[in-house]
């Protein structure tokens, strides 16, 4: 049996994981996540049978990320380790010891089971990024993964639009109950469909000297434009204006990369254009922030169901410390603060507040370091790569949207969206360098 014999199987498993995204998003975690975990584990089992060159090159690409990806796993493991009271344990252990009038060994995490599940889930996401990077080293497989992601995002967008139309919801009305993870997938889908358009133009220009018929360009252009319009429309009707703005920021980022590559602008001209766009985006952020000045900056862009809900989240954040309460323990932490009105709610208002409460300020800094290094690597790949640079550019733009959306909703805390985002990032990382690079 050759080394490449299991590549079709690996691709099929990855496509199955992408296709199951809408099902996993609306199913309970007890049903959906075991299925996703089984698929990821099976993929890792057969990954050594992938082409050796692709595996070695993927290891080289991801090596700079090794340290920053290990630190969060180490931090979560430390949150599970018993520590003496009065050191770095969460204050809830001191309260329990005082209430029971006996000595207890504490932990940073207030819910060991939830933190352990979060650790396993984090390792699964990292493994999925690596597996996608290996499979997407081949250009044809990378294009197939891109098409699959776009198809699922378009399907989710169409479902959201049909549900919105059938429910007779009004434009600009509050979120009628659409899952944040589905809306977040359509936000990335708009960018991925723009990548389909960029791919079509690049392929047509490459074949133009061979007198390629113009009809070969029209269909993918129309397909990508319709998909991007569907995704942006679904984002508009299914979530808040701030999430839509985050998606637009990602689209602008992608178009900026395409502009710089298409016109081959000089270094300083590119810096000037990029800085101008950044100033414009910051202006939009300042205006949106000024519209809701009565709450903490961390939750200013999130949609709270009521002023009381926002106040409850502010109480939680005011008590946050550098060690956190344990990754994945938001529900247990919120239960200890819950009042007769049922606040704080079982779900976090946005991702950044959930990260600070669970990871602590130290863990949140570790996550910020990972995202920053990912952004730098993908941006460098989008600038330096010649052909197929749209893969890295799209992943960079998606990461910009993810970072902005972390302040708007809690979609990134959902395992389904983490899987979708991991495949997008793995696809972009795989194509930061060409196959001919040694």
């Amino acid at each position: 049996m050759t080394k490449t014999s299991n590549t079709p199987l690996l691709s099929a498993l990855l496509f199955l994981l992408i296709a199951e995204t809408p099902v996993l998003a609306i199913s309970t975690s007890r049903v959906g996540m075991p299925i996703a975990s089984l698929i990821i584990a099976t993929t890792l089992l057969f990954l050594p049978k992938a082409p050796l060159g692709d595996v070695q090159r993927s290891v080289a690409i991801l090596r700079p990320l090794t340290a920053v990806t290990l630190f969060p796993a180490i931090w979560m493991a430390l949150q599970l380790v018993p520590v003496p009271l009065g050191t770095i344990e969460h204050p809830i252990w001191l309260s329990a010891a005082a209430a029971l009038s006996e000595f207890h060994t504490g932990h940073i995490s207030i819910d060991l089971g939830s933190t352990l599940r979060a650790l396993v889930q984090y390792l699964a996401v990292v493994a999925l990024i690596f597996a996608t990077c290996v499979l997407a080293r081949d250009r044809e497989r990378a294009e197939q993964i891109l098409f699959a992601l776009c198809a699922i995002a378009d399907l989710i967008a169409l479902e959201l639009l049909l549900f919105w139309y059938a429910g007779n919801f009004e434009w600009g009305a509050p979120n009628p109950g659409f899952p944040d993870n589905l809306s977040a997938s359509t936000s990335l889908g708009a960018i991925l469909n723009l990548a389909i358009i960029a791919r079509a133009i690049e392929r047509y220009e490459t074949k133009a000297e061979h007198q390629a018929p113009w009809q070969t360009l029209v269909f993918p252009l129309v397909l990508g434009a319709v998909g991007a319009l569907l995704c942006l429309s679904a984002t508009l009707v299914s979530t808040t204006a701030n999430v839509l703005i985050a998606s637009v920021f990602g689209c602008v980022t992608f178009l900026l990369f395409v502009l710089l590559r298409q016109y081959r602008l000089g270094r300083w001209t590119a810096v000037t254009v990029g800085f101008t766009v950044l100033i414009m985006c910051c202006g939009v952020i300042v205006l949106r922030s000024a519209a809701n000045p009565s709450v903490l900056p961390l939750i200013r862009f999130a949609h709270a169901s009521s002023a009381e809900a926002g106040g409850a989240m502010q109480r939680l954040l005011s008590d946050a410390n550098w060690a956190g309460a344990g990754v994945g323990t938001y529900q247990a932490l919120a239960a200890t603060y819950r009042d007769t009105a049922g606040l704080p709610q079982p779900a976090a208002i946005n991702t950044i507040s959930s990260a600070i409460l669970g990871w602590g300020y130290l863990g949140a800094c570790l996550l910020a370091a990972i995202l920053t290094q990912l952004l730098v690597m993908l941006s460098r790949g989008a600038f330096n790569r010649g052909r197929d640079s749209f893969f890295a550019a799209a992943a960079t733009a998606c990461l910009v949207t993810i970072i902005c959306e972390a302040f708007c909703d809690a979609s990134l805390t959902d395992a389904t969206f983490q899987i979708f985002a991991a495949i997008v990032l793995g696809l972009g990382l795989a194509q930061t360098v060409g196959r001919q690079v040694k």
Side-chain angles (χ1 to χ4, degrees):
M1 184 177 293
T2 64
K3 288 286 184 181
T4 60
S5 59
N6 282 322
T7 299
L9 175 60
L10 292 171
S11 300
L13 289 172
L14 186 62
F15 294 147
L16 177 61
L17 194 59
I18 297 173
E20 283 193 333
T21 300
V23 179
L24 298 177
I26 60 177
S27 64
T28 62
S29 58
R30 293 181 179 179
V31 175
M33 282 315 301
I35 297 176
S37 300
L38 179 61
I39 296 175
I40 295 175
T42 306
T43 302
L44 292 177
L45 180 64
F46 289 100
L47 196 60
K49 297 298 184 179
L52 182 60
D54 291 345
V55 175
Q56 292 175 339
R57 191 57 195 165
S58 297
V59 170
I61 291 172
L62 298 178
R63 185 175 291 117
L65 293 171
T66 303
V68 292
T69 53
L70 281 178
F71 285 148
I74 295 173
W75 179 237
M76 280 187 278
L78 289 176
Q79 289 184 324
L80 298 172
V81 176
V83 295
L85 290 183
T87 53
I88 60 173
E89 82 291 340
H90 193 274
I92 195 173
W93 297 105
L94 290 173
S95 301
L100 298 175
S101 300
E102 59 184 43
F103 177 79
H104 281 274
T105 300
H107 307 79
I108 295 177
S109 174
I110 65 173
D111 189 339
L112 301 183
S114 296
T115 302
L116 181 59
R117 285 194 297 270
L119 174 59
V120 174
Q121 184 173 314
Y122 172 80
L123 295 176
V125 169
V126 173
L128 182 58
I129 292 176
F130 177 71
T132 305
C133 187
V134 172
L135 292 174
R137 287 293 299 151
D138 179 79
R139 177 182 296 140
E140 292 185 1
R141 286 199 299 270
E143 291 179 347
Q144 293 170 358
I145 293 172
L146 177 62
F147 287 135
L149 290 170
C150 287
I152 291 301
D154 293 348
L155 177 61
I156 293 174
L158 185 59
E159 291 176 350
L160 292 179
L161 287 172
L162 290 176
F163 180 72
W164 172 82
Y165 179 78
N168 295 319
F169 297 110
E170 298 180 359
W171 292 96
N175 191 321
F178 297 103
D180 287 339
N181 48 17
L182 291 180
S183 301
S185 298
T186 61
S187 298
L188 302 189
I191 301 169
L192 296 174
N193 277 283
L194 292 179
I196 292 291
I197 296 176
R199 172 197 170 275
I201 295 175
E202 182 178 283
R203 296 293 186 266
Y204 180 76
E205 290 178 346
T206 302
K207 299 177 180 178
E209 57 187 25
H210 301 293
Q211 298 181 347
W214 62 269
Q215 291 88 345
T216 59
L217 176 64
V218 174
F219 178 71
L221 285 181
V222 173
L223 192 65
V226 171
L229 183 61
L230 271 176
C231 290
L232 287 175
S233 300
T235 305
L236 174 64
V237 303
S238 63
T239 187
T240 63
N242 288 331
V243 175
L244 178 64
I245 291 173
S247 180
V248 172
F249 282 171
C251 294
V252 170
T253 301
F254 179 79
L255 294 176
L256 180 61
F257 278 112
V258 173
L259 174 68
L260 296 178
R261 171 172 167 76
Q262 183 69 25
Y263 293 98
R264 295 179 175 84
L265 302 180
R267 178 176 299 179
W268 289 110
T269 304
V271 170
T272 302
V273 173
F275 187 73
T276 302
V277 173
L278 178 62
I279 292 297
M280 294 173 61
C281 293
C282 290
V284 174
I285 293 174
V286 170
L287 290 176
R288 296 298 300 180
S289 176
N292 192 20
S294 60
V295 298
L296 293 176
L298 290 176
I299 59 175
R300 189 166 293 178
F301 301 98
H303 174 71
S305 58
S306 64
E308 291 77 11
M313 179 57 68
Q314 293 191 62
R315 292 198 304 272
L316 282 171
L317 289 173
S318 64
D319 292 338
N321 56 19
W322 68 273
V327 180
T329 62
Y330 175 82
Q331 291 185 356
L333 182 64
T336 64
Y337 282 76
R338 190 156 297 147
D339 55 22
T340 55
L343 297 173
Q345 297 172 339
I349 291 181
N350 59 8
T351 300
I352 190 67
S353 62
S354 177
I356 290 176
L357 292 173
W359 290 81
Y361 289 105
L362 176 60
C365 290
L366 293 175
L367 294 179
I370 293 177
L371 294 176
T372 300
Q373 189 163 358
L374 267 174
L375 195 61
V376 170
M377 288 183 61
L378 290 169
S379 299
R380 186 184 295 121
F383 277 120
N384 296 337
R385 182 79 194 269
R387 187 182 181 187
D388 297 330
S389 63
F390 57 87
F391 287 111
T396 306
C398 287
L399 186 56
V400 169
T401 294
I402 290 170
I403 294 173
C404 294
E405 198 166 333
F407 291 86
C408 302
D409 60 31
S411 58
L412 195 56
T413 62
D414 180 78
T416 303
F417 183 64
Q418 291 175 10
I419 290 173
F420 192 90
I423 296 174
V424 172
L425 295 177
L427 174 63
L429 288 169
Q431 292 296 322
T432 51
V433 295
R435 297 196 61 152
Q436 71 277 11
V437 178
K438 302 296 183 184

